[in-house]
């Protein structure tokens, strides 16, 4: 069974640009969550999508958005990039049923210069 | 505010001994707790979880204990192995019992020495 796949693994962007990250969940998982990891803030929840609908949202500005497709694949978009957006972006998929875990991808390392 | 806290940034344990990693939380609505292990430049790997209706869950060398009245959980690794050296995160979710939206602690770096 394939794990959670995130593309690309590494990305360098310039301030002001926008970026799209992709996540393919484990087959059968309908919930996809996104997290940002930075040295200062740790792992922080961005949002969760379930059956193409955003179900939960963290405390991030509107520049951070996402969507989920009918095959459960998800994309995350960050517009008007700032230096502080440099981070490891992690995607997790789960069955979203009780007492089941979330499985993480390897992440996309975004560097904003 | 940090709702999930791991107050020890690092821990060093000898191979074969017990490693105890601690986690405290403030939100009494958390009802599902998980431990993840993370290597640099990789995503977290799930280790073990516990529901708030239990006080202990065991899986091989890993045991998680939950003390709801103290809002405290701990991960015990026995015996510790060099391959256990990594950063360990505890995580919690609210009112759903699922892992859809997790609040993470800041992590504890475990080093298992020979």
């Amino acid at each position: 069974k394939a794990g959670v796949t995130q593309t690309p693994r590494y990305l360098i962007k310039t301030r002001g640009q926008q970026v799209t990250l992709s996540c393919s969940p484990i087959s059968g998982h309908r919930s996809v969550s996104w997290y940002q990891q930075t040295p200062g803030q740790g792992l922080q929840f961005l949002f969760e999508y379930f059956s193409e609908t955003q179900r939960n949202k963290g405390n991030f500005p509107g520049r951070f958005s996402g969507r989920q497709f009918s095959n459960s694949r998800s994309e995350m978009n960050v517009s008007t990039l700032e230096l502080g957006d440099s981070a490891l972006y992690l995607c997790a998929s789960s069955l979203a049923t009780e007492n089941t875990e979330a499985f993480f991808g390897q992440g996309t390392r975004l560097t904003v210069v | 505010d940090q709702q999930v806290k791991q107050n020890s940034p690092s821990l060093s344990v000898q191979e074969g001994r017990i490693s105890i990693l601690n986690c405290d939380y403030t939100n009494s609505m958390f009802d599902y707790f998980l431990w993840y292990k993370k290597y640099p430049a990789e995503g977290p790997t799930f280790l073990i979880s516990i529901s708030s209706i239990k006080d202990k869950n065991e899986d091989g060398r890993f045991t998680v204990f939950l003390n709801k009245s103290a809002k405290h959980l701990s991960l015990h690794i026995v015996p510790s192995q060099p391959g256990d050296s990594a950063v360990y995160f505890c995580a919690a979710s609210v009112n759903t019992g699922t892992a859809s939206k997790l609040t993470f602690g800041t992590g504890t770096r475990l080093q298992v020495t020979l």
Side-chain angles (χ1 to χ4, degrees):
Chain A
K1 198 172 190 182
V4 179
T5 305
Q6 290 188 248
T7 56
R9 287 293 312 277
Y10 302 93
L11 209 46
I12 300 176
K13 289 285 189 178
T14 304
R15 262 184 311 175
Q17 285 187 314
Q18 67 112 25
V19 67
T20 299
L21 312 181
S22 181
C23 173
S24 293
I26 291 171
S27 177
H29 286 192
R30 293 162 65 191
S31 169
V32 174
S33 299
W34 288 88
Y35 295 83
Q36 181 197 64
Q37 186 184 22
T38 58
Q41 298 296 320
L43 272 154
Q44 295 205 299
F45 173 79
L46 280 153
F47 32 65
E48 182 225 358
Y49 285 86
F50 183 86
S51 293
E52 302 179 64
T53 302
Q54 187 180 87
R55 195 164 66 165
N56 287 294
K57 191 176 187 307
N59 297 323
F60 279 82
R63 299 185 297 108
F64 292 81
S65 63
R67 59 178 175 167
Q68 187 180 35
F69 302 95
S70 58
N71 62 358
S72 293
R73 191 177 70 85
S74 177
E75 287 182 348
M76 189 192 106
N77 186 275
V78 188
S79 62
T80 320
L81 283 165
E82 300 175 1
L83 295 179
D85 296 333
S86 295
L88 179 67
Y89 289 89
L90 291 158
C91 163
S93 79
S94 74
L95 287 169
T97 54
E98 278 203 25
N99 302 333
T100 57
E101 60 270 28
F103 295 89
F104 283 82
Q106 290 195 295
T108 294
R109 169 70 64 186
L110 172 65
T111 302
V112 182
V113 297
Chain B
D1 65 333
Q2 192 70 32
Q3 296 187 59
V4 179
K5 300 177 187 179
Q6 293 176 255
N7 292 318
S8 299
S10 63
L11 175 68
S12 183
V13 171
Q14 230 175 0
E15 182 182 12
R17 301 283 187 126
I18 182 171
S19 295
I20 300 176
L21 296 97
N22 293 304
C23 180
D24 296 294
Y25 61 96
T26 56
N27 189 341
S28 56
M29 303 299 277
F30 286 143
D31 61 359
Y32 186 49
F33 303 88
L34 306 90
W35 283 94
Y36 284 86
K37 170 181 175 181
K38 189 179 185 299
Y39 295 113
E42 291 186 13
T45 301
F46 170 76
L47 283 173
I48 192 168
S49 63
I50 187 166
S51 163
S52 59
I53 62 172
K54 295 186 175 181
D55 54 19
K56 177 182 173 182
N57 189 25
E58 198 170 348
D59 184 2
R61 296 187 298 116
F62 302 94
T63 303
V64 57
F65 296 91
L66 175 63
N67 182 334
K68 285 193 295 291
S69 60
K71 294 192 178 68
H72 176 84
L73 64 155
S74 61
L75 174 68
H76 293 210
I77 307 173
V78 184
S80 300
Q81 300 173 353
D84 295 330
S85 297
V87 178
Y88 289 77
F89 291 93
C90 69
S93 70
V94 176
N95 258 0
T96 63
T98 73
S100 299
K101 176 184 176 183
L102 296 174
T103 301
F104 280 87
T106 49
T108 297
R109 182 177 303 278
L110 172 66
Q111 184 175 10
V112 179
T113 59
L114 298 173

